[in-house]
Amino acid sequence: MSGQWQQQVSLKPYNTFGIDVKARFFTEAHNDDEVRQALAQAAGQDVPVLVIGGGSNLLLTADVQSLVLRMASRGLRILSDDGERVVVEAEAGEPWHPFVQWSLSQGLAGLENLSLIPGTVGAAPMQNIGAYGVEIKDVFVGLTALDRQTGELRDFSLEECGFAYRDSLFKRNPGRWLILRVRFALSRMMHAHLDYGPVRQRLSEQGVDQPTAQNVSDAICSIRREKLPDPIELGNAGSFFKNPVVAAVLADKIRLQHPGLVAYPQADGQYKLAAGWLIEQAGWKGHREGDAGVHRLQSLVLVNYGQATGVQLHQLAQKIQADILERFGVELEMEPNLY
Ligand code: FAD
Ligand code: NAP
């Protein structure tokens, strides 16, 4: 086997749940050539490949009998600037939050609501990352991906990515596309999105009346630090379930018994329910089984207190799903990618 591939590598430092499984083979790619070399070598030896970025949206339930290829490519560049609209491109291995900070330091707005999301630029399109009323599709212009079936490069426009709520063409076709770099259209003028959750209130508490994009980013970082566990201190993969979108008739039925139901009307007449609220109502908040648990402040986040296995976390998630289905008639879909 290749001298460049490490063998039997613990993936504990490479997934934010901190799950201690092993990769049969492990390597990093710093540029397109290294990606191609790793894929060609793996194909030649009939070894499957699992591409990862920051490992912040993974649930690893067993040793990985593949080559784990960690994207470590770097590079940020401005492609065009008409004085107002600025197109930037970032390599897949760039860590997301430092990229957001870099864009703000260039005086560019558009990514501020997506501050402090872990992971890499290359994984961001996978589930069309979103927070506080903004998704990457709102500022996305294109990406370049390698077709792992044909070995050809392909540029995708916004329309071709099939972005939806925490979903994309890439997530729906796992293993087909390896995202190499992503392009965003940012702006020298901020179009503020402050009406989501406590963002406006936090800015006003901070005495900010006319926020800059940097102010919004700072406010969102402070809210997130209060509510969300830092994976360095407590293993987690962020929200473990997507917020379910249900028919109005089901939302009305639940509201009859639970007048405090948190439900947001959608354009198509359905309602998005806050999954965390449902889980909390069902009594799971702070629940712990061994080292697998539900976070004490945010019921949507499952946590690893130290030695939990992926199987234990998955079993806990399945119990929650069954309970929410029984109590409310609502199916919760897991958000992290299960391996
Ligand atoms: P990984 O976990 O490494 O991979 C995720 C998936 O993408 C895997 O299937 C992997 O195979 C695939 N993949 C990775 N890189 C590539 C590539 N270059 N090409 C093709 N496929 C690839 N998500 C949100 O949407 N909003 C949030 O606000 C948010 N907050 C979070 C807060 C915390 C504390 C944590 C731990 C997670 C949060 N997440 C959030 C989830 C996660 O951070 C994002 O989904 C992030 O984009 C995952 O990036 P990653 O590099 O860690 O991906
Ligand atoms: P929150 O503010 O407590 O709100 C609870 C839920 O209600 C959120 O999930 C959000 O849905 C929804 N919501 C709130 N205000 C809304 C509005 N005005 N219109 C429509 N929906 C609204 O949520 P939180 O847990 O602290 O997270 C804050 C933001 O960060 C959310 O956008 C959340 O998605 C994002 N986040 C995501 C992850 C992840 O891993 N995916 C982890 C942490 C935080 P949406 O989730 O659909 O936005």
Side-chain angles (χ1 to χ4, degrees):
M1 207 48 73
S2 163
Q4 290 174 345
W5 293 358
Q6 298 171 60
Q7 298 191 31
Q8 299 301 330
V9 172
S10 168
L11 291 176
K12 192 170 179 179
Y14 300 109
N15 74 98
T16 59
F17 258 129
I19 290 167
D20 196 6
V21 292
K22 286 194 173 60
R24 184 172 170 218
F25 303 111
F26 180 91
T27 194
E28 295 186 340
H30 299 86
N31 52 50
D32 293 10
D33 284 347
E34 290 183 5
V35 167
R36 283 184 180 283
Q37 276 167 23
L39 293 181
Q41 190 177 339
Q45 292 165 1
D46 221 8
V47 174
V49 178
L50 170 61
V51 177
I52 65 166
S56 62
N57 212 14
L58 303 179
L59 180 60
L60 301 169
T61 54
D63 287 343
V64 181
Q65 302 301 331
S66 310
L67 169 67
V68 172
L69 175 61
R70 180 172 173 270
M71 292 302 293
S73 50
R74 292 301 186 91
L76 301 171
R77 56 195 77 89
I78 290 178
L79 297 183
S80 68
D81 181 351
D82 69 6
E84 152 52 21
R85 182 179 185 269
V86 180
V87 177
V88 302
E89 182 176 72
E91 294 295 319
E94 284 285 345
W96 178 261
H97 181 62
F99 165 55
V100 174
Q101 289 177 311
W102 171 83
S103 70
L104 295 170
S105 75
Q106 303 290 311
L108 302 176
L111 298 173
E112 56 278 2
N113 288 42
L114 302 173
S115 296
L116 217 58
I117 298 180
T120 54
V121 166
M126 288 295 292
Q127 69 161 19
N128 177 31
I129 57 168
Y132 299 96
V134 173
E135 297 176 331
I136 62 157
K137 74 169 172 44
D138 302 325
V139 285
F140 177 96
V141 282
L143 63 76
T144 302
L146 182 70
D147 184 344
R148 288 176 53 186
Q149 281 179 7
T150 65
E152 285 170 7
L153 288 186
R154 174 160 161 202
D155 284 346
F156 285 84
S157 67
L158 172 63
E159 294 70 27
E160 290 168 327
C161 292
F163 288 131
Y165 171 64
R166 304 284 188 271
D167 198 21
S168 71
L169 167 87
F170 312 106
K171 189 160 182 177
R172 292 190 290 274
N173 292 276
R176 169 90 192 261
W177 301 102
L178 195 158
I179 297 167
L180 294 170
R181 53 194 70 86
V182 188
R183 293 173 285 282
F184 302 91
L186 305 180
S187 174
R188 295 208 181 275
M189 288 268 296
M190 180 176 61
H191 307 285
H193 299 273
L194 307 178
D195 294 327
Y196 211 84
V199 180
R200 193 183 292 280
Q201 188 191 332
R202 178 57 53 96
L203 284 162
S204 117
E205 284 162 9
Q206 293 172 341
V208 180
D209 295 334
Q210 307 232 303
T212 62
Q214 185 65 58
N215 292 145
V216 175
S217 171
D218 292 345
I220 284 174
C221 287
S222 75
I223 296 166
R224 293 183 68 109
R225 285 196 178 101
E226 278 169 16
K227 264 185 104 164
L228 288 166
D230 180 346
I232 291 172
E233 288 159 16
L234 186 60
N236 74 92
S239 304
F240 198 88
F241 302 104
K242 295 183 185 180
N243 287 319
V245 178
V246 302
V249 62
L250 178 55
D252 290 344
K253 189 176 157 204
I254 300 170
R255 200 179 285 107
L256 277 179
Q257 287 198 326
H258 304 274
L261 177 72
V262 181
Y264 297 93
Q266 304 295 289
D268 60 3
Q270 300 196 92
Y271 281 83
K272 183 181 75 181
L273 309 183
W277 187 88
L278 296 173
I279 296 168
E280 186 175 342
Q281 293 302 306
W284 289 97
K285 195 173 193 175
H287 177 85
R288 182 169 172 172
E289 294 182 3
D291 273 357
V294 179
H295 191 241
R296 65 188 175 82
L297 297 178
Q298 170 50 290
S299 307
L300 203 45
V301 176
L302 298 196
V303 294
N304 175 7
Y305 286 101
Q307 304 301 320
T309 63
V311 170
Q312 287 165 340
L313 284 157
H314 193 215
Q315 283 170 346
L316 174 58
Q318 287 172 317
K319 282 188 200 172
I320 294 170
Q321 284 171 314
D323 189 36
I324 299 304
L325 184 59
E326 195 184 317
R327 283 174 195 262
F328 301 105
V330 174
E331 279 185 48
L332 290 183
E333 190 186 337
M334 201 179 137
E335 186 175 297
N337 301 274
L338 185 71
Y339 294 102

